[in-house]
Amino acid sequence: MPARDELLLQIACYTSDIGNFISASHHYDHSAYILEANPIIGLSNEENQIITEMSRYHSSKSPAAQQYHYRHLDNDIQLTIAKLVAIIRLADALDDSHQQKN
């Protein structure tokens, strides 16, 4: 995995559940909304988009070509998002209690 993708994955792990502060219901949509409105300083627009989409799709939704937020992205960005979302979902499943136990 490229080092920059690893960094994006780490950032998405920290930010993907921030939508819970608005509502636990559809928190992934709230997370994406917060990240769209508040881009992370030091990241490019493309990198902020990747993190936003990872937050949107890390939970129950899956990226699909017919979804507005996903279909307008370049194919290589879609592939990066799909790969990183798979990893974050796996990590989330391993920490199902969300208590970060080892």
Side-chain angles (χ1 to χ4, degrees):
M1 172 184 309
R4 198 63 176 180
D5 286 355
E6 187 175 333
L7 174 65
L8 297 177
L9 181 60
Q10 289 175 353
I11 293 169
C13 286
Y14 290 122
T15 61
S16 63
D17 285 330
I18 60 174
N20 279 322
F21 290 103
I22 295 174
S23 173
S25 175
H26 299 280
H27 75 281
Y28 42 86
D29 287 328
H30 298 300
S31 296
Y33 172 76
I34 291 169
L35 291 167
E36 285 173 345
N38 302 285
I40 298 171
I41 295 171
L43 298 180
S44 68
N45 289 338
E46 181 179 285
E47 291 168 335
N48 273 300
Q49 260 187 325
I50 290 170
I51 291 171
T52 298
E53 296 308 309
M54 287 178 64
S55 294
R56 184 185 319 279
Y57 298 119
H58 85 279
S59 196
S60 62
K61 286 185 178 180
S62 293
Q66 68 270 20
Q67 294 170 332
Y68 169 76
H69 295 283
Y70 194 69
R71 71 174 177 234
H72 73 280
L73 300 172
D74 291 337
N75 289 339
D76 56 334
I77 295 174
Q78 288 180 358
L79 183 59
T80 298
I81 292 168
K83 287 179 182 179
L84 296 178
V85 163
I87 294 169
I88 202 170
R89 282 184 173 191
L90 179 60
D92 218 19
L94 291 172
D95 183 31
D96 195 36
S97 69
H98 297 290
Q99 295 183 11
Q100 300 175 352
K101 293 182 179 180
N102 291 334

